Amino acid sequence: MRLTYTSDVWWKNAVVYCLDVETFKDGNDDGVGDFRGLTQQIDYLAGLGVTCLWLMPFFPTPNKDDGYDITDFYTVDPRLGTLGDFVEFMRTAHDRGLRVIADLVVNHTSDRHPWFKEARSSKDSPLRDWYVWSDTPEPDNPDQVVFPDKEDSVWEYDEGSGQYYLHSFYRHQPDLNVANPEVRDEIARVLGFWMELGLSGFRVDAVPYLIENVDPKLAEPHEFLADLRAFMTRRMGGSILLGEVNVAYKDLVSYFGDGLGDQITMCFDFIGMQKAWLSLARCDAGPLSEALRERPKPPKDCQWAVFLRNHDELTLDKLTEDERQEIFAAFGPSEDMQIFGRGLRRRLPPMLGGDPRRVKMAYSLLFSLPGTPVIFYGEEIGLGENLKAEGRMAVRVPMQWSPDGGFSRVEPVRAVPEGAFGPERVNVADQRRDTDSLLRWFQLLIERYRECPELAWGESTVLDTGEPAVFAHRCDADGATVVVAHNLSDTAREAELRLDGLGGCRLTDLLADGSTEVPDGGVVRITMEPHGCRWLRASRPDVAPEDASVKSR
């Protein structure tokens, strides 16, 4: 595939790196990360090979929900810097070729936002209809409560105005009424403001809650997403919306915009993520294979975003109770590792016991899955967790730059992991000097992923291997093919792959030296080490492997 073609639709084979400014690097020695500190680490991120940075909320906030309770959508939290610091960060990121997207959290505001203060001041307030009110709370459905450890209803009584307001999340986060045209217009202005400062798009928080039909006057909630996307395309043709849409595959396609692809540009594959963890727990490729075979093809120029961990709990809500318990038993047997009864509040390396082979295999699997990989900051060094922190904050720990921490010259506001995952054992400085480190492995995976556009653009086919523990698939695009295999078990396995159309080709290893010839019949046997991974590029004998991906014209 030609680079001039794939680069136009940059998000389809991007490498997205999610970070929290507050926990990445302190630039003014107050124990809190900020934009000045982040800017000084741009070369590190560019050197890692990531192509797009996703910033978690950096707006003014009372910080009751780690920044997701916002009081002003048009500026930067003073703890993290100024608008000037943000602009300098954006200029530096663009100079290094990095795109930047940011969290779009507009399904609610903080109850301290001036809009809500005005709205609750009187039933006759001009902003009253910017939120959702009711004289009597609608009957509660327990399934509607997102955080059952803190809330037992999605309605809260406002004594001042004598009505209930809707809050899909915490009671201090009243829902905005997106049925109101004025609210829609204001949200578009928020997008336009940050795009003028250089953002290439937004990660849309909790999309189903954003567009739920809260007003019968709003006939088609998806029209709102289409309107936002159209607005962004007019302002910047290459801008994107990355959607947090955790629903069943059959319900998810509409969030892309059905066949048009005119709503969410990329949707996270929550189903594939959960099935991947079930496969890892069982050492059985079956659940992941099933998910990929069932996963619908997104509309043209849309894409799946694939991940194994993110900044929230590792939700397992789409699995059965028995399947959840399997994963709990394998990766989080203690109650303090679990959350909401549906997920884990752990990072991947501790979940896998810090086993280097298993950890490297898991991340190889992530980067090879069809779609755009999204990684959480610190994954590239095996950053651990702090189970002493409350809830989801367990995984939102300070980045570890050196054996003494390196995040700040003073005590960080958030505690760092201890023990085997403490900074003296897990840090950037040491891993930069170690050719066998996880950091160097990430750099190799990103480099190879970017060299294999078939993984993101191609037609993906799950392969039968004859070994339940070996997951394999092939990706074909423009006459080029990449075959990938992963051994999910801790014992050596031999897989048999039927590669139709590749008889007589050579399979060249992309992660290590070596190659394998495919017999004329197209059936090849490959040896898999314990937790081994193979990325294999197919090429004809008269074509160099490095040229096999380029279609001649």
Side-chain angles (χ1 to χ4, degrees):
M1 301 189 68
R2 291 196 176 276
L3 188 63
T4 49
Y5 177 66
T6 59
S7 62
D8 285 341
V9 192
W10 61 269
W11 54 89
K12 290 199 72 167
N13 66 329
V15 177
V16 182
Y17 186 98
C18 172
L19 65 88
D20 186 350
V21 178
E22 184 176 348
T23 57
F24 201 66
K25 179 67 175 178
D26 178 12
N28 63 355
D29 301 331
D30 65 353
V32 177
D34 47 47
F35 276 106
R36 292 190 179 187
L38 170 58
T39 303
Q40 293 304 311
Q41 301 301 327
I42 289 295
D43 282 335
Y44 164 77
L45 294 166
L48 182 60
V50 299
T51 63
C52 178
L53 303 181
W54 156 21
L55 304 182
M56 291 171 64
F58 53 81
F59 313 100
T61 172
N63 224 19
K64 291 184 176 181
D65 186 22
D66 196 27
Y68 284 86
D69 47 330
I70 296 169
T71 59
D72 188 345
F73 291 103
Y74 290 103
T75 191
V76 173
D77 190 307
R79 298 174 308 124
L80 310 183
T82 66
L83 275 176
D85 294 329
F86 175 84
V87 169
E88 286 302 300
F89 155 73
M90 291 297 304
R91 187 205 64 79
T92 308
H94 287 167
D95 180 67
R96 302 306 194 272
L98 297 174
R99 289 180 171 87
V100 183
I101 65 175
D103 259 309
L104 180 68
V105 189
V106 289
N107 41 37
H108 56 252
T109 68
S110 166
D111 59 2
R112 301 184 191 179
H113 195 292
W115 299 344
F116 188 67
K117 289 183 177 180
E118 169 59 32
R120 76 191 313 181
S121 65
S122 167
K123 290 184 179 180
D124 298 323
S125 167
L127 297 187
R128 185 71 174 181
D129 195 41
W130 280 41
Y131 295 86
V132 183
W133 301 90
S134 176
D135 289 328
T136 57
E138 298 178 11
D140 278 322
N141 179 352
D143 293 338
Q144 291 179 311
V145 179
V146 177
F147 303 122
D149 63 327
K150 299 292 185 182
E151 303 291 348
D152 56 12
S153 172
V154 295
W155 292 93
E156 182 71 8
Y157 185 69
D158 179 52
E159 294 185 0
S161 59
Q163 284 187 309
Y164 294 84
Y165 63 83
L166 179 68
H167 60 89
S168 296
F169 297 91
Y170 294 112
R171 67 188 66 189
H172 58 79
Q173 294 170 328
D175 282 16
L176 282 166
N177 179 14
V178 298
N180 187 331
E182 293 181 0
V183 173
R184 291 185 175 203
D185 289 345
E186 189 64 30
I187 291 173
R189 276 190 286 271
V190 170
L191 269 63
F193 176 83
W194 292 105
M195 290 173 69
E196 285 297 313
L197 295 183
L199 290 186
S200 295
F202 302 87
R203 175 264 186 183
V204 191
D205 184 58
V207 181
Y209 293 95
L210 173 63
I211 67 168
E212 64 184 352
N213 195 351
V214 297
D215 190 313
K217 291 181 291 185
L218 183 59
E220 176 48 67
H222 282 271
E223 289 180 2
F224 178 45
L225 294 178
D227 288 346
L228 285 183
R229 178 78 177 277
F231 170 83
M232 293 174 62
T233 301
R234 292 195 300 271
R235 293 290 177 93
M236 183 189 300
S239 57
I240 67 164
L241 291 174
L242 170 60
E244 183 189 23
V245 188
N246 183 13
V247 298
Y249 283 144
K250 63 181 178 62
D251 301 319
L252 190 145
V253 175
S254 62
Y255 288 87
F256 283 120
D258 292 316
L260 298 176
D262 61 349
Q263 295 181 34
I264 298 296
T265 320
M266 294 198 295
C267 287
F268 284 104
D269 183 7
F270 279 91
I271 306 297
M273 177 273 290
Q274 296 180 49
K275 293 292 189 178
W277 280 105
L278 187 57
S279 281
L280 289 171
R282 293 177 174 177
C283 299
D284 180 355
L288 177 57
S289 298
E290 177 189 19
L292 290 184
R293 287 181 173 126
E294 293 179 352
R295 190 174 77 172
K297 187 176 181 179
K300 184 178 183 294
D301 292 345
C302 291
Q303 182 61 297
W304 289 104
V306 295
F307 68 109
L308 289 177
R309 282 301 285 117
N310 61 12
H311 60 291
D312 284 328
E313 77 274 11
L314 194 163
T315 183
L316 305 170
D317 65 320
K318 296 299 183 288
L319 302 179
T320 67
E321 181 59 30
D322 287 344
E323 290 170 337
R324 269 193 295 275
Q325 291 304 322
E326 284 187 66
I327 296 177
F328 286 165
F331 303 123
S334 300
E335 284 192 15
D336 68 336
M337 299 173 177
Q338 303 166 16
I339 187 170
F340 306 140
R342 63 174 185 246
L344 293 167
R345 58 191 205 103
R346 308 196 69 194
R347 279 180 171 256
L348 185 149
M351 289 173 65
L352 300 184
D355 182 344
R357 294 181 308 171
R358 203 175 185 193
V359 170
K360 288 183 177 181
M361 181 274 293
Y363 285 123
S364 172
L365 177 65
L366 167 64
F367 277 95
S368 68
L369 290 174
T372 296
V374 181
I375 57 178
F376 190 35
Y377 77 94
E379 286 197 276
E380 72 276 14
I381 61 171
L383 191 63
E385 66 218 11
N386 174 22
L387 294 176
K388 296 178 182 177
E390 182 179 1
R392 297 173 297 169
M393 300 299 286
V395 302
R396 303 175 188 180
V397 295
M399 182 64 171
Q400 295 171 183
W401 297 99
S402 62
D404 62 354
F407 168 77
S408 177
R409 293 182 182 179
V410 301
E411 187 73 18
V413 172
R414 299 191 193 178
V416 300
E418 300 175 348
F421 294 91
E424 66 279 0
R425 298 187 181 183
V426 176
N427 64 79
V428 172
D430 288 346
Q431 293 195 27
R432 274 177 161 166
R433 294 188 289 267
D434 181 357
T435 56
D436 292 327
S437 69
L438 184 59
L439 176 62
R440 293 304 184 191
W441 180 247
F442 259 80
Q443 289 177 315
L444 176 64
L445 290 175
I446 292 173
E447 183 178 291
R448 294 295 180 264
Y449 169 78
R450 295 286 291 171
E451 292 171 354
C452 298
E454 298 89 347
L455 295 175
W457 285 80
E459 185 73 26
S460 176
T461 305
V462 176
L463 302 174
D464 292 325
T465 67
E467 278 286 353
V470 177
F471 171 77
H473 68 288
R474 64 181 284 179
C475 296
D476 299 271
D478 281 354
T481 301
V482 172
V483 179
V484 184
H486 289 85
N487 182 3
L488 307 183
S489 76
D490 59 1
T491 59
R493 303 293 172 103
E494 188 174 66
E496 182 177 278
L497 307 178
R498 176 172 293 279
L499 303 176
D500 295 337
L502 297 184
C505 285
R506 177 186 298 112
L507 300 178
T508 300
D509 270 279
L510 300 180
L511 301 180
D513 292 334
S515 63
T516 302
E517 303 297 326
V518 182
D520 291 339
V523 178
V524 63
R525 299 186 72 85
I526 60 173
T527 301
M528 302 292 299
E529 297 178 350
H531 297 308
C533 43
R534 306 279 298 273
W535 290 29
L536 306 166
R537 174 171 291 291
S539 62
R540 296 294 171 184
D542 59 338
V543 178
E546 57 269 22
D547 295 331
S549 182
V550 180
K551 181 179 179 181
S552 59
R553 298 187 185 278

